[in-house]
Amino acid sequence: MKPPVTRSPRHTLALMVCVVLLGSMRARAQTDPLPSWNDGPAKKAIIEFVQATTDQSNPKFVPPAARIAAFDQDGTTWVEQPMYSQVVYCLEQVPVLAKKKPELKHVQPFKAVLDGDRAAMAKFTMKDLEKILAATLTGMDVEEFNASVKAWLASATDHRFKRLYTELIYQPMLEVMKLFRDHGYKTYFVTGGGQDFVRQYAEQVYGVPPEQVVGSAAATQFGYDKTGKPMLTKVPKLLLNDDKAGKPEGIHFMIGRRPVAAFGNSIGDKQMLEYTGAGDGARLMMLVHHDDAEREYAYGPTSKVGTFTDALMSEATKKGWIVISMKNDWKRMFAFEQ
Amino acid sequence: MKPPVTRSPRHTLALMVCVVLLGSMRARAQTDPLPSWNDGPAKKAIIEFVQATTDQSNPKFVPPAARIAAFDQDGTTWVEQPMYSQVVYCLEQVPVLAKKKPELKHVQPFKAVLDGDRAAMAKFTMKDLEKILAATLTGMDVEEFNASVKAWLASATDHRFKRLYTELIYQPMLEVMKLFRDHGYKTYFVTGGGQDFVRQYAEQVYGVPPEQVVGSAAATQFGYDKTGKPMLTKVPKLLLNDDKAGKPEGIHFMIGRRPVAAFGNSIGDKQMLEYTGAGDGARLMMLVHHDDAEREYAYGPTSKVGTFTDALMSEATKKGWIVISMKNDWKRMFAFEQ
């Protein structure tokens, strides 16, 4: 028979500390960083990439300064169907604009929007749309524009889901962005959407600060208001068309480093993924595929919004880009789902 | 007579810990964050601003996300006389360019540079200079350009100081940038110099990463090399002329937040300081004044490089911008001085 173990109060305290520490370590190891993902190759690839590139003993290690992860926005981190949220904003701003400029009531394409003429709107050309975007996204003080977007986002809702646009965020992608950030990555948006538009909610909704939003952007013009106070006016001159080839160009311009990971969902993201993949060392390129008509939408080659062609699918296969099936890979789509 | 104080080993340990902690606190309080500055209103203003804006109990507190400090580069953080370093680089690249394009030997303004015709070069118009800049800063792969700048910086030296250009950094300003960063500020360059040029040394020399360099920038064009590898080519189309009004415009485009502190040295920085000053809450605007011909240069209203007009001085006085006298405020100019 062994003698009973006697413990001093100090030993007991040390033991308690160890129990707590070990317990929290086990709890951490068991916490799934991507709880909205089903187990599968996509989830596995993300977790393995983040672990490998942040482990100094791993040959795939990426130094903290180079940890740049780029995310497309429309269709990759929030809903883009049936129409980009920013385009909805622009259309809904036309009546506001017409109050200031009543002459627009008689001018197309504004008249069609004001009359609610859906048949005419369905026939809008790219040029018509550009006229509406230019009229509603430029010509005002930057701060006036920002306030207008914020006010719209606080109340406008999507027709199908009856939710604020900022609630139509893919929970699985939020988790991916957080996982990257928790491992020292800077997460950037690289979006065809308007830079100033996205900046109004990116920080609050996604944790992406304004300086990490690369998007399509009109120039601004510095000047002074009537009181002599400096101001910036948005002018109808496109500085950056952040789509397709414009994405790597925008990345070089605004970040100046090649990302090591890039996430997209359409042919507009092809060049960004190619550019990301062309760098040395570990790389992760992924495409969100909209194949879940029940919970969201299913679309591909023939969709005007978020086109995903067969050629893009072939390139993904050939280059080892991982295609995320929203239907199979995502356990939960939105935070508001139970 | 009091009884002698007895201490248990635990009390002794606690006492030792307190002595060490208090000692390190005193040592920290006594460490001057700006040792290259003489005591005076400029040094006092910087230290007080950083302390006030990062102290939660102070009404001037600035939340961490909004802590943006903008620094001009040429003449504010390194020597810009007798000519901007980047212009020296461009002129010295002309012979390299002429090897690839021998026809330039017979074309002005390239001929004058190749012949070393100082009389002709002294008469160069802005248009002549632009031709040289366009020819030496664009037309190549981004990575080829970066490598060329890095190689040049590693060996080219300034004529007066016989030092590498990256050694001609103002030690007092390095200390200011570090002080800001140590208090949770992001330090940005907002420079009329070329964004890609400055990015080649900003991180190593100043601790400013590529994504925090806002500068004049040519567009790039995405494409593929002969092997099909994605590449970016620098093209002669100016996207951002980051000087004067272009500075606040560039800040809005690339940062999307108004800085709370801005440092400049010439009329090219006026609009940036105005824009910074027009925000709410605590603000710090400072201008480096070159008044030390002995240790560096003395220049002002009549200088083509780094013009500092009487009107700028008046505006500084009127608006409470602090003018730094290099002669009086700086104890030490360069790190290589003893």
Side-chain angles (χ1 to χ4, degrees):
Chain A
M1 193 180 148
K2 286 183 185 173
V5 180
T6 55
R7 290 195 184 102
S8 73
R10 203 181 281 178
H11 278 132
T12 310
L13 185 70
L15 203 69
M16 282 170 64
V17 167
C18 286
V19 167
V20 170
L21 279 177
L22 287 169
S24 82
M25 278 169 72
R26 200 179 306 142
R28 206 180 299 165
Q30 285 172 346
T31 304
D32 181 351
L34 302 178
S36 299
W37 290 70
N38 289 317
D39 288 331
K43 178 174 182 171
K44 191 164 170 275
I46 297 166
I47 291 176
E48 282 184 359
F49 179 83
V50 171
Q51 280 177 346
T53 56
T54 56
D55 169 4
Q56 263 191 302
S57 68
N58 194 303
K60 292 183 176 173
F61 180 72
V62 174
R67 292 184 199 158
I68 305 281
F71 295 82
D72 169 56
Q73 212 231 331
D74 294 305
T76 299
T77 63
W78 79 351
V79 174
E80 65 182 348
Q81 292 282 0
M83 204 185 280
Y84 302 118
S85 307
Q86 189 183 353
V87 175
V88 180
Y89 166 81
C90 292
L91 292 171
E92 295 189 4
Q93 287 304 300
V94 171
V96 180
L97 190 67
K99 273 187 193 158
K100 290 182 204 162
K101 298 182 176 177
E103 67 275 19
L104 291 182
K105 285 176 193 164
H106 313 291
V107 181
Q108 292 295 9
F110 304 97
K111 189 178 182 304
V113 179
L114 292 165
D115 295 345
D117 183 347
R118 295 198 165 265
M121 285 168 70
K123 284 182 203 153
F124 274 174
T125 61
M126 202 59 208
K127 207 157 188 171
D128 291 328
L129 208 56
E130 277 170 12
K131 275 183 193 165
I132 291 167
L133 298 191
T136 52
L137 298 175
T138 67
M140 72 292 280
D141 179 352
V142 162
E143 293 183 15
E144 184 190 335
F145 173 77
N146 293 352
S148 163
V149 174
K150 280 209 176 91
W152 183 79
L153 286 170
S155 64
T157 52
D158 171 85
H159 284 276
R160 169 170 167 191
F161 296 98
K162 316 288 181 207
R163 292 276 176 174
L164 296 177
Y165 291 97
T166 50
E167 288 179 282
L168 300 181
I169 306 294
Y170 306 135
Q171 181 64 23
M173 293 306 293
L174 267 190
E175 292 167 3
V176 171
M177 296 175 89
K178 187 173 180 305
L179 176 66
F180 271 89
R181 282 198 296 269
D182 285 349
H183 285 78
Y185 274 86
K186 277 190 179 173
T187 53
Y188 276 83
F189 273 129
V190 179
T191 171
Q195 196 160 277
D196 284 348
F197 185 85
V198 177
R199 279 172 170 167
Q200 302 320 308
Y201 56 88
E203 188 154 37
Q204 201 190 333
V205 173
Y206 295 103
V208 175
E211 62 269 28
Q212 285 165 221
V213 175
V214 179
S216 295
T220 59
Q221 192 162 19
F222 179 84
Y224 305 90
D225 70 11
K226 286 173 203 163
T227 70
K229 193 183 167 187
M231 61 180 285
L232 290 167
T233 304
K234 289 169 76 71
V235 293
K237 180 189 156 194
L238 193 63
L239 263 193
L240 180 60
N241 183 7
D242 199 54
D243 193 32
K244 301 193 172 77
K247 290 207 175 194
E249 292 163 7
I251 287 170
H252 176 71
F253 184 52
M254 295 197 46
I255 312 177
R257 302 191 204 254
R258 194 192 299 261
V260 290
F263 294 78
N265 78 299
S266 78
I267 52 165
D269 302 308
K270 175 180 121 86
Q271 289 85 346
M272 172 169 76
L273 268 62
E274 289 173 343
Y275 179 66
T276 301
D280 296 328
R283 302 279 137 182
L284 182 68
M285 281 71 65
M286 300 189 82
L287 286 169
V288 173
H289 193 217
H290 294 259
D291 57 0
D292 191 339
E294 198 176 312
R295 292 191 297 171
E296 202 237 14
Y297 294 95
Y299 54 98
T302 59
S303 177
K304 273 191 187 176
V305 166
T307 321
F308 195 128
T309 58
D310 295 342
L312 182 63
M313 191 62 96
S314 300
E315 185 169 355
T317 308
K318 195 177 145 197
K319 296 194 170 153
W321 301 350
I322 294 162
V323 176
I324 298 163
S325 160
M326 291 173 75
K327 191 172 181 174
N328 301 321
D329 285 317
W330 289 0
K331 196 181 290 177
R332 188 166 78 148
M333 186 105 36
F334 303 113
F336 57 76
E337 288 171 10
Q338 283 315 310
Chain B
M1 192 180 151
K2 287 181 185 176
V5 180
T6 55
R7 291 194 183 103
S8 72
R10 204 181 280 179
H11 278 131
T12 309
L13 185 70
L15 204 67
M16 282 169 65
V17 168
C18 287
V19 167
V20 169
L21 281 176
L22 288 169
S24 82
M25 280 169 71
R26 199 181 305 143
R28 205 180 300 167
Q30 284 172 345
T31 304
D32 182 351
L34 302 178
S36 299
W37 290 70
N38 289 316
D39 289 330
K43 177 174 181 171
K44 191 164 170 274
I46 297 165
I47 291 176
E48 282 183 0
F49 179 84
V50 171
Q51 280 176 347
T53 56
T54 56
D55 169 5
Q56 262 191 302
S57 68
N58 195 304
K60 292 185 178 173
F61 180 72
V62 174
R67 291 183 199 159
I68 303 281
F71 295 82
D72 169 56
Q73 211 231 332
D74 294 305
T76 298
T77 63
W78 79 350
V79 175
E80 66 182 347
Q81 292 283 359
M83 204 185 281
Y84 302 117
S85 307
Q86 188 183 354
V87 175
V88 180
Y89 166 80
C90 292
L91 291 171
E92 295 189 3
Q93 287 304 299
V94 172
V96 180
L97 190 67
K99 273 186 195 160
K100 289 182 204 163
K101 298 182 178 180
E103 67 274 18
L104 291 181
K105 285 176 192 165
H106 313 291
V107 181
Q108 291 296 7
F110 303 97
K111 188 177 182 302
V113 178
L114 291 165
D115 295 346
D117 183 347
R118 296 198 164 264
M121 285 167 71
K123 284 181 203 154
F124 273 175
T125 62
M126 203 59 209
K127 206 155 190 175
D128 291 327
L129 208 56
E130 277 169 12
K131 276 183 193 165
I132 290 167
L133 298 192
T136 52
L137 297 175
T138 67
M140 72 292 282
D141 178 353
V142 161
E143 293 184 16
E144 184 190 334
F145 173 78
N146 294 352
S148 163
V149 174
K150 280 208 175 92
W152 183 79
L153 287 169
S155 63
T157 52
D158 172 85
H159 284 276
R160 171 171 165 191
F161 296 98
K162 318 288 180 206
R163 292 275 176 175
L164 296 177
Y165 291 98
T166 49
E167 287 180 283
L168 300 180
I169 305 295
Y170 306 135
Q171 181 63 23
M173 293 306 292
L174 267 190
E175 292 167 4
V176 171
M177 296 175 88
K178 186 173 183 305
L179 176 65
F180 271 89
R181 282 197 297 268
D182 286 349
H183 286 78
Y185 274 85
K186 276 190 181 173
T187 53
Y188 276 83
F189 274 129
V190 179
T191 171
Q195 196 160 278
D196 284 348
F197 185 85
V198 177
R199 280 172 170 167
Q200 302 319 308
Y201 55 88
E203 188 154 35
Q204 200 190 332
V205 173
Y206 295 103
V208 175
E211 62 270 29
Q212 286 166 221
V213 175
V214 179
S216 295
T220 58
Q221 191 162 19
F222 178 83
Y224 305 90
D225 70 11
K226 286 173 205 164
T227 69
K229 194 185 165 186
M231 60 180 286
L232 290 167
T233 304
K234 290 170 74 73
V235 293
K237 180 190 156 193
L238 193 63
L239 263 193
L240 180 60
N241 184 5
D242 199 54
D243 193 33
K244 300 193 172 76
K247 290 207 174 195
E249 292 163 7
I251 287 170
H252 175 71
F253 183 54
M254 295 198 45
I255 312 177
R257 303 191 201 254
R258 194 192 300 262
V260 290
F263 294 78
N265 78 301
S266 79
I267 52 165
D269 302 308
K270 175 180 122 84
Q271 289 85 347
M272 173 169 76
L273 268 64
E274 289 172 345
Y275 178 67
T276 301
D280 296 329
R283 301 281 137 181
L284 181 68
M285 282 71 66
M286 301 189 83
L287 286 168
V288 173
H289 192 217
H290 293 259
D291 56 1
D292 191 339
E294 200 176 312
R295 291 191 297 172
E296 200 238 14
Y297 294 95
Y299 54 98
T302 59
S303 177
K304 274 191 187 178
V305 167
T307 320
F308 195 127
T309 58
D310 295 342
L312 183 63
M313 191 62 95
S314 300
E315 184 169 355
T317 307
K318 196 177 145 197
K319 296 194 170 154
W321 301 348
I322 295 163
V323 177
I324 298 163
S325 159
M326 291 174 75
K327 190 172 181 175
N328 301 322
D329 285 317
W330 289 358
K331 197 181 289 177
R332 190 166 77 147
M333 186 99 42
F334 304 113
F336 57 77
E337 288 171 11
Q338 284 313 311

